[in-house]
Amino acid sequence: KDYTSDQEVRWCPGCGDYVILATVRGFLAELGLKRENLMFVSGIGCSSRFPYYLEAYGIHSIHGRAPAIATGLAVTRPDLSVWVVTGDGDALSIGGNHLIHALRRNVNMTILLFNNRIYGLTKGQYSPTSEPGKITKSTPMGSIDHPFNTLSVALGAEATFAGRALDSDRAGLTEVLRAAAEHRGTSFVEILQDCPIFNDGSFDALRRENAESHLIRLRHGEPIRFGADGEFAVVRDGFGLKTVRADTVADSEIVVHDAYTDHPEYAYALSRLSDQDLTRVPIGIFRSVSRPTYDDGVRAQLDAAADNHPVKENSLQQLLTGRETWTVG
Ligand code: SF4
């Protein structure tokens, strides 16, 4: 099935959103879902035009509130595959509160956060992920804000699934999307995305010839080595992790990636390896663990309440979804 819609795509030429859209369109066919069971909810920003360009259902909603709307959908329509598309400004500034509570509740949805480290739609102001000292229209003397480490925020908010991918890495992004879609609960995926108009080359360090010395590719069950010839490695460092030259440590000291460990501090330590200069950037699946989901819990409570109600013809859930008529008497 081709999920291409008939809408004209209105992003700037060269925008990283194009390759993400192409990858998502290609990947959706794998899910084998009918378009009426696929729902994309977005907020406000360049990335939030995403739902127009997919032949599926979608809501271009309000700034920062996509996770709240998606939560309502996930609770009342368990038959839907619910996706949120958001950006660094939408999700981490005005929408920061909604994002962290969706994550801690573990609502069944997949959140794709396009991080271009700038406000693109409003023409180039610094965002919560812009690097310190960044000169923009709203920071003419350089940003004095300390930026968010996006994966650290998600993991600190108890994300049960957290991953990162690069817009131009179609294979890597597809792999993370596949795992995110299979996960029950909130899947959080940060996609590093180029904005050639207002933040050109922001992620060039991860695309150049020596990108492999910057990208730490996480593969479950494998020792974490990186660099063109695996010349660097990740080892323990007190409570955290650090990178070293692999030939300076024994093989047994190299950390073996475990995306399924119940200990959240491990994935958090991985997230702290990222730095603003992009000298080290882990990508792949940081964490994937099970926890009861919010929407399952709500439905269970509604069903229990309906069972205790004197009129048992319909469940409260059916009342909420409007699929059947509630009869009192
Ligand atoms: Fe893409 Fe930047 Fe243009 Fe927005 S402003 S569409 S992020 S290139």
Side-chain angles (χ1 to χ4, degrees), residues 10-17 46 116 120-121 193-198:
R10 292 197 195 161
W11 291 315
C12 308
C15 178
D17 290 358
C46 294
N116 55 20
L121 189 71
Q193 175 244 320
D194 198 28
C195 170
I197 304 300
F198 296 110

Side-chain angles (χ1 to χ4, degrees), residues 149-294:
N149 176 322
T150 311
L151 266 290
S152 298
V153 171
L155 290 160
E158 309 271 357
T160 54
F161 182 102
R164 176 188 284 143
L166 185 61
D167 55 2
S168 54
D169 178 10
R170 190 163 183 160
L173 176 55
T174 301
E175 193 179 320
V176 175
L177 290 177
R178 192 175 289 134
E182 284 172 2
H183 179 74
R184 268 195 76 73
T186 307
S187 303
F188 177 85
V189 180
E190 177 189 24
I191 306 172
L192 306 179
Q193 175 244 320
D194 198 28
C195 170
I197 304 300
F198 296 110
N199 204 13
D200 193 23
S202 182
F203 297 108
D204 274 2
L206 308 180
R207 306 181 207 278
R208 292 193 191 111
E209 229 170 77
N210 66 345
E212 292 306 315
S213 63
H214 300 280
L215 287 168
I216 304 174
R217 296 181 187 275
L218 303 172
R219 298 182 182 90
H220 177 74
E222 292 186 17
I224 308 176
R225 301 181 72 126
F226 62 103
D229 300 311
E231 64 269 33
F232 302 106
V234 173
V235 297
R236 301 200 181 280
D237 179 37
F239 293 114
L241 300 171
K242 67 178 179 182
T243 59
V244 294
R245 284 203 61 87
D247 58 9
T248 63
V249 295
D251 283 354
S252 59
E253 290 181 69
I254 299 174
V255 170
V256 175
H257 180 46
D258 184 356
Y260 306 127
T261 177
D262 273 340
H263 299 291
E265 57 272 23
Y266 166 69
Y268 188 82
L270 275 178
S271 76
R272 303 312 295 173
L273 290 175
S274 311
D275 59 19
Q276 289 299 317
D277 297 332
L278 308 178
T279 51
R280 298 287 184 257
V281 178
I283 61 171
I285 301 162
F286 287 57
R287 183 173 202 233
S288 179
V289 297
S290 292
R291 194 169 76 224
T293 70
Y294 176 80

